[in-house]
Structures are given as structure tokens and as C-alpha cells.
Amino acid sequence: MPEDSRARQRTGAGVGLLLTLVLAAVLLTALPDDESRPEGCAPRTVGAWAADDDLTAEFARYGDDASRTDDWTGGDGTHSVRLPDGRLLWLFSDTYLGQVYGPPNPVGESFAWRDTSAPLVRNSAVVMREGRLESTLPAPLFPDPGPNQWRWPVAARVEPRSPGSTEQVLRVLLWVRTAGAAPWVFGVPTATEVATLSLPDLRVESVVQVLDQRTVPDPSRRVLFGTTLVTEGGWTYVFGGDDGQAASRPASRAYAARVPEGGLGDPAAWEYWDGSEWTARARPAAVLGDGRRTGVGSAFSVVRQDGTYVLFTMAAGTRGLTTVTSYWACSPTGPWHGPARDFTPALPEGQVAAYNPQAHTELRDDGRLVLSYDVNWLEPTAAAAQLNRNVSLYRPRFVTLRLEPRG
């Protein structure tokens, strides 16, 4: 297959995921306040928010830098993790590398652009030091596990190599997908893996599979974990979702797993919420969503603040193309309440949409929260051409917000 055809196929996969997230992000049923809430847990919603122009501009600066041809110039699936030496590692799914050229582009528009032959890889990692992006690790960082399969990195954390160990490693959750026909143009959900990287050199030591979903006949019911994680009380809570692609299941459900500190890389250490208790049996039950009227997109983010868990996802219906909303709970397993106040961040002009809202708790220590959102072209057949003629489109944007008690 010619390289430009493969690039179009890969970019179409990213747009397919975008559309899935938009279609799957439906309203959660509002639940009454629980008077017996645990101490410290209270309804929370988005308060004041503003565009974080400096952080958005830093990714534009780095992506437009023409001094290297093997570094990041655009990508989606934005996640981050703070390393022990202070560096910040940014993880991306489908990623453009190669040369970026200054405006005008070949059709005379005032956009920086890249050639259609620019490499597109399935994942990448970019290092930031003291607020400035400085290098891209050799990409792809995580090689394809097999023919017609690929790995998308999602949430990550630094933890002991094993429970009680003094040595730290970086653990990165990976989604494995397999090429498929419509409606699985973005790949059939296949497995959740965990990669272990050494510190400080960020060398990939191993990749282990923690949840194989190939035996689940209906791809729309396969669960991939790692869209977001929260640490609390010696546990790492890992959230995941299925893919509501079947006509009978138009919305995604959310799920929860937990692992003791230091155990992310040990499949035997994982426990799943089965609807009534944590169990080692890999038969998770949904913590949100009925698959029709309620649910979330398969990529969402959860944070814990002052005893309350807050979930960010795109809003329901067509508003999900532009609008972020939030929900709250006193426990990772729910019940989840909402939606609370939403907001609509800025988008570039054109047939574009926002998706994959992700919180970056390591970026602020003043009570505010940084949230990223990805941007892509809506029409799959035109996406590759549009993202190359205007390289600013396929890059994360950022907002800074405060969470406040909900009256």
C-alpha cells in the first residue's frame, strides 16, 4: 500500500475515534445528593475557566520548529506524567513527524504546513523541562505488537518497581487495537497492556498484557482500561470504557479497576469492580451508563479533589463536538452525579471538533487544574489533507479552571 494511503487510513482511524467519542458522550442521569456522603466529599463543578494560551503556544512553537525532522509536529491522545527528576513526559497516540514549512501553504493560505509524505506513527513521547518542550523520544516508542495491530499510550504513573521496592519505574497503560472494517475504522478493541520504562533514561524494559478482550465476541462490549487513573490510599484506580459501536449499543459504558501501589505491571494484582465488590475475575461491571440513554466517551478523565472524584468528558449530542462537561462522585465506583456546569473552549475555524478532555494535575499547585483537549478534522476522507495544509489543527489545546462547590 502506498505511504500516503497508509497515512490516510491511520488519520481516518483517529477521526473515527473522535466521532465515536462524540457519539458516545451522552447524558448521565442526575442523581440526588446523598446525605450520608463520606467526610470531605461534596458536589463539585467547574467554576471559573480560561484558555491557557501559553501552554497551547508552547506546543505550537515546538511543532513548528524546523531544526529537526524526526520530532513531533502534531498528535492526539494527550496524556502527561511528572518524572522524579522534574521533567514532564507527554504521551501521544497517532503522531505526525517530519518537516514543517512556514506559510503560505501550497494553496496560498497563511498556515504552516507539512508535506503529504510526512511520517505518521502510532505513538510518541515528548520531554518537557521547566515548561519548555525539548525533545521527542525515538518514535514510535511502543512498537506494533503484531501485523495490523498498534499501541496507543494512555495514562501513566511513576511507581515502585514492585510493592515495597525503593526503585521507581514508569508504568504506561497501552491500548491495543486491530485493523477492522466499518464501523471499526479506528481499530477493533483488543487488549490492555502495561509498559515498564526504566528511569531516568526512559528505556522500554517490558510490555505485559493485563486484559485480553479477543474472546469477547461483540467488539462493542470489549473494555480497554487506562483512559485515566487516580491514586488514593495505597491503590491506583484505573478507569476504562467500552466502544458503543453496535446499533443496539450507541453509547459507551465506564468501568473501574484497582491495583495496589507498585502492581500496575502485574496482571495478577489487578482487581475489577463487578457491581458489588472488587474481584480478580476480569468481569467488570459498568460504574456509569446503560449503553443507551447514559454513558461516557471511551476517553475521559477523572481527578480527586478534597475527597470528591470529578469526571470530565464531552457533553451529550451535537454539543459533544465543542463542549466539555463534568460529573462527581464520592467513590471511583459511583454513584456518579451530573452533569454539572459545562464550558465551550476555543476551536480553530473549519469542520473541526474537540475530544479527549484530559486533566494534568502535575501542572498546577495553586488549586487550579489544567485540562487539555484534542482537535481533529471531522470528515475522515478529507482529514489527512486538512491536517497537512494547516499543521496547527492536530495539536492539543489547554484551559485552566477551578473546581468549586456546587450549590
Side-chain angles (χ1 to χ4, degrees):
M1 181 184 294
E3 181 59 33
D4 59 342
S5 296
R6 288 196 293 267
R8 286 194 297 271
Q9 182 183 49
R10 290 167 176 167
T11 306
V15 175
L17 175 58
L18 182 160
L19 295 174
T20 299
L21 301 181
V22 170
L23 293 172
V26 298
L27 285 172
L28 294 173
T29 302
L31 299 174
D33 289 346
D34 183 359
E35 295 180 358
S36 61
R37 290 192 298 266
E39 183 177 357
C41 179
R44 301 192 74 80
T45 188
V46 175
W49 68 274
D52 192 326
D53 294 330
D54 291 342
L55 193 51
T56 299
E58 175 57 17
F59 277 87
R61 180 203 65 79
Y62 183 76
D64 289 347
D65 186 346
S67 61
R68 290 177 53 178
T69 60
D70 61 348
D71 61 350
W72 182 98
T73 64
D76 69 352
T78 311
H79 289 79
S80 65
V81 59
R82 179 72 68 184
L83 303 179
D85 59 11
R87 292 176 298 166
L88 194 65
L89 186 69
W90 293 89
L91 296 163
F92 293 92
S93 297
D94 289 351
T95 300
Y96 280 104
L97 307 175
Q99 183 76 39
V100 167
Y101 304 93
N105 66 14
V107 294
E109 298 169 323
S110 58
F111 301 133
W113 60 284
R114 68 172 73 84
D115 191 83
T116 56
S117 63
L120 190 146
V121 295
R122 286 301 190 181
N123 59 75
S124 67
V126 183
V127 176
M128 174 180 277
R129 192 187 304 270
E130 297 180 351
R132 186 174 177 84
L133 296 165
E134 63 177 23
S135 63
T136 300
L137 301 184
L141 182 60
F142 307 103
D144 293 346
N148 298 314
Q149 293 187 337
W150 60 87
R151 291 174 167 130
W152 282 341
V154 278
R157 72 159 302 193
V158 174
E159 67 169 13
R161 181 177 288 278
S162 59
S165 173
T166 58
E167 181 187 4
Q168 291 185 310
V169 294
L170 175 63
R171 296 265 161 70
V172 179
L173 279 293
L174 303 172
W175 287 351
V176 178
R177 295 196 178 249
T178 301
W184 305 102
V185 294
F186 58 90
V188 178
T190 304
T192 300
E193 298 179 331
V194 175
T196 297
L197 284 69
S198 58
L199 293 170
D201 59 343
L202 298 172
R203 177 176 58 88
V204 179
E205 296 183 343
S206 63
V207 177
V208 299
Q209 186 179 94
V210 297
L211 186 62
D212 186 354
Q213 292 288 274
R214 289 174 295 181
T215 59
V216 179
D218 181 356
S220 70
R221 295 185 180 274
R222 297 180 179 183
V223 182
L224 299 184
F225 281 94
T227 181
T228 184
L229 55 81
V230 177
T231 58
E232 173 62 25
W235 294 93
T236 299
Y237 294 95
V238 187
F239 294 86
D242 56 25
D243 284 294
Q245 287 291 301
S248 61
R249 288 248 298 105
S252 295
R253 297 184 177 102
Y255 302 80
R258 70 175 187 178
V259 187
E261 185 177 17
L264 275 173
D266 178 8
W270 282 62
E271 297 179 350
Y272 305 88
W273 182 253
D274 70 359
S276 58
E277 63 180 353
W278 296 103
T279 174
R281 294 175 301 169
R283 297 178 181 176
V287 297
L288 323 162
D290 62 8
R292 286 181 173 273
R293 296 176 299 103
T294 65
V296 296
S298 58
F300 55 91
S301 188
V302 178
V303 300
R304 186 176 186 271
Q305 187 176 95
D306 299 329
T308 303
Y309 293 84
V310 181
L311 181 150
F312 297 94
T313 189
M314 301 308 294
T318 56
R319 293 172 61 249
L321 297 171
T322 60
T323 303
V324 178
T325 194
S326 64
Y327 306 85
W328 68 273
C330 295
S331 165
T333 61
W336 288 90
H337 308 258
R341 178 187 174 191
D342 55 35
F343 64 96
T344 301
L347 283 173
E349 293 183 0
Q351 298 179 45
V352 299
Y355 59 109
N356 186 36
Q358 288 293 325
H360 305 278
T361 56
E362 61 281 321
L363 284 175
R364 308 290 305 203
D365 59 4
D366 59 358
R368 289 183 289 176
L369 183 66
V370 174
L371 197 76
S372 67
Y373 57 100
D374 296 329
V375 175
N376 208 329
W377 196 263
L378 275 174
E379 174 52 53
T381 59
Q386 294 295 337
L387 301 184
N388 284 322
R389 70 192 288 177
N390 179 3
V391 298
S392 70
L393 294 177
Y394 196 54
R395 292 172 178 170
R397 270 77 170 167
F398 297 86
V399 298
T400 301
L401 57 86
R402 289 187 182 276
L403 294 173
E404 62 183 25
R406 191 181 73 177

